[in-house]
Amino acid sequence: METVPLSSANAPRLIDGKAIAAAVTEDVASRAAALAAKPGLAVVLVGEDPASAVYVRMKSEKAEALGFHSVQHSLPAETSQDELLAVVDALNADPAIHGILVQLPLPAHLDSAAVIAAIDPDKDVDGLSVINAGRLAVGDPNAIVPCTPLGSMTLIGTVHGTDLSGLNAVVIGRSRLVGLPMALLLAKANATVTIAHSRTKDLPGLCQNADILVAAVGRPEMVKGDWIKPGATVIDVGTSRVPDASRKSGQRLVGDVAFAEATHAGAITPVPGGVGPMTIAMLMRNTVEAAERKAR
Amino acid sequence: METVPLSSANAPRLIDGKAIAAAVTEDVASRAAALAAKPGLAVVLVGEDPASAVYVRMKSEKAEALGFHSVQHSLPAETSQDELLAVVDALNADPAIHGILVQLPLPAHLDSAAVIAAIDPDKDVDGLSVINAGRLAVGDPNAIVPCTPLGSMTLIGTVHGTDLSGLNAVVIGRSRLVGLPMALLLAKANATVTIAHSRTKDLPGLCQNADILVAAVGRPEMVKGDWIKPGATVIDVGTSRVPDASRKSGQRLVGDVAFAEATHAGAITPVPGGVGPMTIAMLMRNTVEAAERKAR
């Protein structure tokens, strides 16, 4: 793989998001098959944004491939708030649907927060709602956790297991959808967690103390090699496109970490092929879990 | 004050929770007077626990002193879940009531979580509900924040102002009602925040790097003097009773910090008289703010 140039004896272990996501989805498929009623996932798309259309199709196809009941609602760009809320309400009431995903961003005339708040929290498989954020904060086992931090935790688990006692974790980024839930998950797993961000003083020095370093900022290669503690596990959530004349497309994807400099990390996620592939896998896992909870 | 033995020229600044709480309540009283309708606080007590009865009376009396409409419901210990929920529902529906506080702990046969969840989130002035925890996590300005972390932030503000950029904060304790909301509040105020706890490795060394140290564990005097960075601001949330033969009561209150050893701190809260007095003041502030929001 050209994105993974490390190969010396001392090179870090590559955390293969594709392979781990495949294992997660295999588990999800078998759990889905064990249920009397198929897990049902409804994906709602408003408007014709091409990137959103691609994401929605990928999610629907994955759901079908796993044996889910998969429903897609494609609504015109001029759909009103009330019309969209009516679709959400109908899906809330539909016993064959266990997960509802409204693809963001919505057209500007729609109120995303109100739409997300209208989704039954037990069907909010993206974990975007205030109630699921609160459940995570208070430690409610019914919390549905946003897919990116959940996938990142799963990757960390392949290196360290589920108990991170005695490990220092540093999360760079304090966003509501990645940085903050990531910090809460790490603290619950017994790591000592530091939330760092653009106002942090001596970020390199702070990172040098991290046994687990999670970069979730979206600034290409901002984490330099000498910020990384030897042997650390590095989870790179960022994806940015940078110009690259050697590529046919004229650009390539890079993460928040200067990957080529991270030769002394213990384990690291590549970009692409690290955290990215986990997102859809976690969406499917959240959906089968929602179906399992409903079946109990 | 015998609990505040520091007096040398280099002694830390004492953060006087009593005086700061008095200033907060004075502000609350003037805001209450400016409202067309009085802020209404309802306090619900179930059973005859003497300590709970004292707390409830203190809260009701403070509300009256501030010119609030103050209501107290004292229900017998054998009150059923349905009866208690009916009281909460009636208070939710009462436009004269802006804040509802159910004194915890409830008798064992009652489901506290369900009772808290039944309180209108906009009247949940203790900030105990899942929805208010979620609002805090997602940065919703309508979040009602639990009184102890909110009071601790107010004390920190008297030393550092509201922007903590460039400062390292360490919170010892990861409880849902103090440690975790405290960490979220500090991160939102631009501090770099570390959540430490019983599984943390080298807690003394970690604390030595803290410009702001918040101890919220409930272990008497566990934070030793040499854990404290010279000049640091120390917020001591813990209160424990320890034996003291020199007192008539045979005991005294101590915090999580070995106060007498903290001679090189920059500022420190005493116990008692630090965080403690802030709690009721913040409850009153949360109530007047709930009334102000309703009046808009």
Side-chain angles (χ1 to χ4, degrees), chain A residues 181-192:
Chain A
M182 193 73 217
L184 291 174
L185 290 168
L186 287 162
K188 275 172 214 304
N190 295 327
T192 300

Side-chain angles (χ1 to χ4, degrees), chain B residues 24-25 27-29 31 35 39-41 66 68 97-101 121-128 132 141-151 154 185 278-294 296:
Chain B
V24 169
T25 52
D27 173 61
V28 167
R31 288 162 67 176
L35 286 166
L41 176 64
L66 294 178
F68 288 14
I97 295 296
H98 305 96
I100 302 170
L101 186 159
D122 295 330
K123 298 189 178 187
D124 166 35
V125 285
D126 257 347
L128 298 185
N132 278 311
N142 292 318
I144 303 181
V145 180
C147 300
T148 297
L150 191 61
T154 303
L185 291 168
M278 297 300 289
T279 307
I280 288 190
M282 291 298 127
L283 175 66
M284 299 302 143
R285 202 177 80 180
N286 279 346
T287 304
V288 80
E289 285 183 1
E292 287 169 347
R293 273 195 290 267
K294 200 60 88 177
R296 264 175 223 145

Side-chain angles (χ1 to χ4, degrees), chain A residues 1-293:
Chain A
M1 285 166 64
E2 65 184 329
T3 54
V4 183
L6 303 169
S7 59
S8 83
N10 292 324
R13 164 176 166 184
L14 274 182
I15 303 175
D16 185 342
K18 270 192 185 171
I20 298 164
V24 168
T25 51
E26 198 175 312
D27 173 61
V28 167
S30 75
R31 288 162 67 176
L35 286 166
K38 286 180 179 187
L41 176 65
V43 182
V44 180
L45 174 66
V46 183
E48 280 96 34
D49 178 65
S52 290
V54 169
Y55 293 136
V56 161
R57 200 179 59 236
M58 284 171 63
K59 292 166 186 174
S60 295
E61 286 175 0
K62 177 64 81 178
E64 278 158 34
L66 294 178
F68 288 13
H69 168 55
S70 172
V71 175
Q72 190 179 320
H73 289 262
S74 296
L75 307 175
E78 61 273 19
T79 300
S80 73
Q81 182 82 8
D82 284 348
E83 287 166 339
L84 179 53
L85 289 175
V87 170
V88 169
D89 282 346
L91 294 168
N92 283 340
D94 184 345
I97 295 298
H98 305 96
I100 301 170
L101 187 158
V102 177
Q103 184 68 38
L104 302 179
L106 290 171
H109 69 282
L110 296 172
D111 178 351
S112 304
V115 173
I116 298 299
I119 298 171
D120 177 344
D122 295 329
K123 296 188 178 187
D124 166 35
V125 285
D126 258 346
L128 298 184
S129 66
V130 169
I131 290 187
N132 278 311
R135 287 170 168 174
L136 175 61
V138 307
D140 181 336
N142 292 318
I144 303 181
V145 181
C147 299
T148 298
L150 192 61
S152 298
M153 282 303 288
T154 305
L155 296 180
I156 290 168
T158 65
V159 180
H160 297 282
T162 53
D163 184 358
L164 308 178
S165 292
L167 298 176
N168 290 329
V170 170
V171 179
I172 313 176
R174 52 180 164 169
S175 69
R176 70 161 275 199
L177 290 182
V178 183
L180 292 181
M182 193 73 217
L184 291 174
L185 290 168
L186 287 162
K188 275 172 214 304
N190 295 327
T192 300
V193 186
T194 300
I195 306 169
H197 44 74
S198 56
R199 305 300 186 86
T200 292
K201 197 180 55 185
D202 188 20
L203 186 55
L206 186 69
C207 292
Q208 280 155 8
N209 191 37
D211 304 301
I212 298 170
L213 180 59
V214 180
V217 183
R219 289 178 55 190
E221 302 188 326
M222 72 170 281
V223 176
K224 304 305 177 196
D226 63 1
W227 297 21
I228 297 170
K229 180 178 175 176
T233 295
V234 180
I235 305 294
D236 191 348
V237 180
T239 49
S240 308
R241 283 171 205 282
V242 297
D244 184 343
S246 75
R247 302 287 175 99
K248 224 167 86 179
S249 64
Q251 57 181 17
R252 64 189 163 94
L253 274 186
V254 297
D256 287 347
V257 178
F259 185 85
E261 299 176 8
T263 49
H264 55 292
I268 187 168
T269 59
V271 175
V275 174
M278 297 299 290
T279 308
I280 290 190
M282 290 299 127
L283 176 67
M284 300 301 144
R285 202 177 79 179
N286 280 345
T287 305
V288 80
E289 284 183 1
E292 287 170 346
R293 273 195 289 266

